[in-house]
Amino acid sequence: EVQLLESGGGLVQSGGSLRLSCPASGFTFSSYAMSWVRQAPGKGLEWVSTISGSGGSTYYADSAKGRFTISRDKSKNTLYLQMNSLRAEDTAVYYCAKEIYYDSSGNFDYWGQGTLVTVSS
Amino acid sequence: DIQMTQSPSSLSASVGDRVTITCRASQSISSYLNWYQQKPGEAPKFLIYAASSLQSGVPSRFSGSGSGTDFTLTISSLQPEDFATYYCQQSYSAPRFGQGTKLEIK
């Protein structure tokens, strides 16, 4: 059974930093691209970032470029999202999502339960 | 950027009804279109990929169609567990979701 369990969310002041983690199990972690998708309270879904199975390729939404860094640790089967220079508009539930292919394809077949990030201004 | 527009934004229906949700892309995305279901307080669930392929484990009452710019998600006979919000998402370029369609009980 695929399991994704996000952690690291919380309350942070504007301009601050947080690192989200997502340990994965139930599949061969290094064989699939992984992504972060967020959802502001009461709003729709927004793709944030994707990393390839090897970790060699990364992709970011314009809203995340230059502030967020996605990474993965094969030895720990864990996905990360380092978020710096946080803004009020980054307030959202952040979901970790598995993709269906090794390379980025934008097809998210399994999702974690999410971790809430609240940025106070 | 490719914009995704769903209609309607909300919909009331009864158990047993046939329901159709539409998704339109601002430019052609071939068949690079996915559908997700999200219930309150839960993560999205992957329903349909490549416009019309049913994800494993998803009931056959769900179906998708379309290509280019116009797509539909159809639920042939609504069940109580189908009341949720549905999102389309293009995977042709940087992933982008529609604004969602909230399906409510009439």
Side-chain angles (χ1 to χ4, degrees), chain A residues 36-58:
Chain A
W36 290 97
V37 178
R38 69 185 182 183
Q39 186 169 35
K43 302 297 184 182
L45 299 165
E46 180 189 14
W47 169 74
V48 174
S49 183
T50 295
I51 187 167
S52 63
S54 68
S57 297
T58 58

Side-chain angles (χ1 to χ4, degrees), chain A residues 64-83:
Chain A
K65 278 178 190 171
R67 300 187 301 128
F68 295 1
T69 302
I70 192 171
S71 62
R72 62 194 300 161
D73 185 330
K74 177 182 176 181
S75 68
K76 296 181 179 178
N77 282 1
T78 299
L79 175 71
Y80 301 100
L81 185 68
Q82 177 68 43
M83 304 186 295

Side-chain angles (χ1 to χ4, degrees), chain B residues 1 8 13 28 42 45-46 48 51 59-60 63 66 68 77 84 92 97 99:
Chain B
D1 289 357
S28 177
E42 297 184 5
K45 176 184 177 181
F46 192 44
I48 288 171
S60 59
S63 64
S77 179
Y92 181 83
F97 296 83
Q99 81 278 16

Side-chain angles (χ1 to χ4, degrees), chain A residues 37 39 43-47 50 60 62 95 99-101 104-114, chain B residues 1 32 34 36 38 41-46 49-50 55 87 89-92 94-99:
Chain A
V37 178
Q39 186 169 35
K43 302 297 184 182
L45 299 165
E46 180 189 14
W47 169 74
T50 295
Y60 297 93
D62 288 344
Y95 294 103
E99 295 216 15
I100 67 173
Y101 297 122
S104 172
S105 67
N107 299 285
F108 313 113
D109 62 344
Y110 289 94
W111 300 58
Q113 284 305 297
Chain B
D1 289 357
Y32 292 92
N34 303 322
Y36 299 83
Q38 187 179 33
E42 297 184 5
K45 176 184 177 181
F46 192 44
Y49 61 97
Q55 173 69 350
Y87 293 93
Q89 174 242 325
Q90 64 86 5
S91 57
Y92 181 83
R96 187 175 288 264
F97 296 83
Q99 81 278 16

Side-chain angles (χ1 to χ4, degrees), chain A residues 9-27:
Chain A
L11 178 63
V12 62
Q13 287 192 328
S14 180
S17 298
L18 277 178
R19 188 176 85 152
L20 307 183
S21 300
C22 177
S25 61
F27 63 102

